[in-house]
Amino acid sequence: MKALLYKQLRLTSHPMTLVFLLSGVFLLIPSYPYTMAFFYVSLGIFFMFTNGREQRDGEYCALLPIRKRDAVRGACLYTAIIELLAMLLAVPFALFSSRINPVGGNPAGLNANVVLFAAGFVLFTLFNAVFLPGFYKTGYKTGVPFLKANIAMALLVLCDVILPHVPGLAWLDGTDAHACLRQLPLLASGAVIYGAGLWLTCRRAEQRYQRVDL
């Protein structure tokens, strides 16, 4: 698996994939839908799979002494590394955003708080569940799966914009210590959903790729 991850980095990873790791900088923009920062990470993953297709990664993996499901697992694991690293790098930007805007009040959705990262986990889970099996259904089509994933993600982003303005749910938008402590169960739930979703998504992608005639 270490060799497959190295192959993903050197052969398929697009330069913009690494640039979008710093999409957390969008958390500093006032009155901005902060969940869009996670969308840009998924855009980088789309570039990665498209670049892999152009570099004939599928044919290359078919020549290696590995199983087809190993190639899928390597790509899924590298995707997870990109997503988790992007979230980790976004934490300092979220903390700084809270300092420069201590009273919160983002009219475009969630503030840069714990709930935002919980939503990020769910957003990545949704993207992976749609895009990865969609790609491995053919092994080369990226546009249609990405479009479908975009539609699903857009609906979730819309929910994130609306929820903080629903009466009784204002605590979802809090950035103080007490509010963040109250939000931690949501973050834990998001992490569990992400882990379980990634495992199920990888299994589904493996099953689809097994039926592809290379």
Side-chain angles (χ1 to χ4, degrees), residues 57-59 61-63 68 138-140 209-214:
D57 179 58
E59 291 88 337
C61 288
L63 297 175
K68 291 171 75 173
T138 61
Y140 65 91
Y209 200 48
Q210 289 288 349
R211 297 193 289 266
V212 175
D213 185 4
L214 297 177

Side-chain angles (χ1 to χ4, degrees), residues 131-155:
F131 178 75
L132 293 176
F135 171 77
Y136 283 109
K137 183 178 180 180
T138 61
Y140 65 91
K141 289 185 179 180
T142 58
V144 173
F146 185 65
L147 178 60
K148 291 180 178 179
N150 274 352
I151 295 173
M153 292 168 68
L155 294 175

Side-chain angles (χ1 to χ4, degrees), residues 50-112:
T50 302
N51 185 56
R53 180 191 65 192
E54 300 306 315
Q55 299 298 331
R56 305 180 71 85
D57 179 58
E59 291 88 337
Y60 176 69
C61 288
L63 297 175
L64 296 176
I66 59 173
R67 298 167 296 184
K68 291 171 75 173
R69 66 182 182 184
D70 292 330
V72 176
R73 289 178 183 177
C76 289
L77 181 57
Y78 189 77
T79 297
I81 291 174
I82 291 294
E83 292 169 344
L84 295 176
L85 186 56
M87 292 189 74
L88 182 63
L89 293 175
V91 171
F93 294 109
L95 294 174
F96 188 54
S97 176
S98 298
R99 290 181 64 88
I100 62 178
N101 186 23
V103 296
N106 179 13
L110 291 168
N111 287 314

Side-chain angles (χ1 to χ4, degrees), residues 114-197:
V114 174
V115 177
L116 177 68
F117 286 89
F121 275 124
V122 178
L123 200 68
F124 283 145
T125 301
L126 190 59
F127 170 78
N128 293 341
V130 177
F131 178 75
L132 293 176
F135 171 77
Y136 283 109
K137 183 178 180 180
T138 61
Y140 65 91
K141 289 185 179 180
T142 58
V144 173
F146 185 65
L147 178 60
K148 291 180 178 179
N150 274 352
I151 295 173
M153 292 168 68
L155 294 175
L156 183 56
V157 169
L158 182 61
C159 290
D160 293 335
V161 171
I162 295 174
L163 280 178
H165 303 290
V166 175
L169 295 180
W171 62 275
L172 295 176
D173 221 19
T175 56
D176 59 276
H178 177 73
C180 289
L181 186 63
R182 188 181 179 185
Q183 295 162 3
L184 284 178
L186 293 179
L187 180 64
S189 299
V192 171
I193 291 172
Y194 178 80

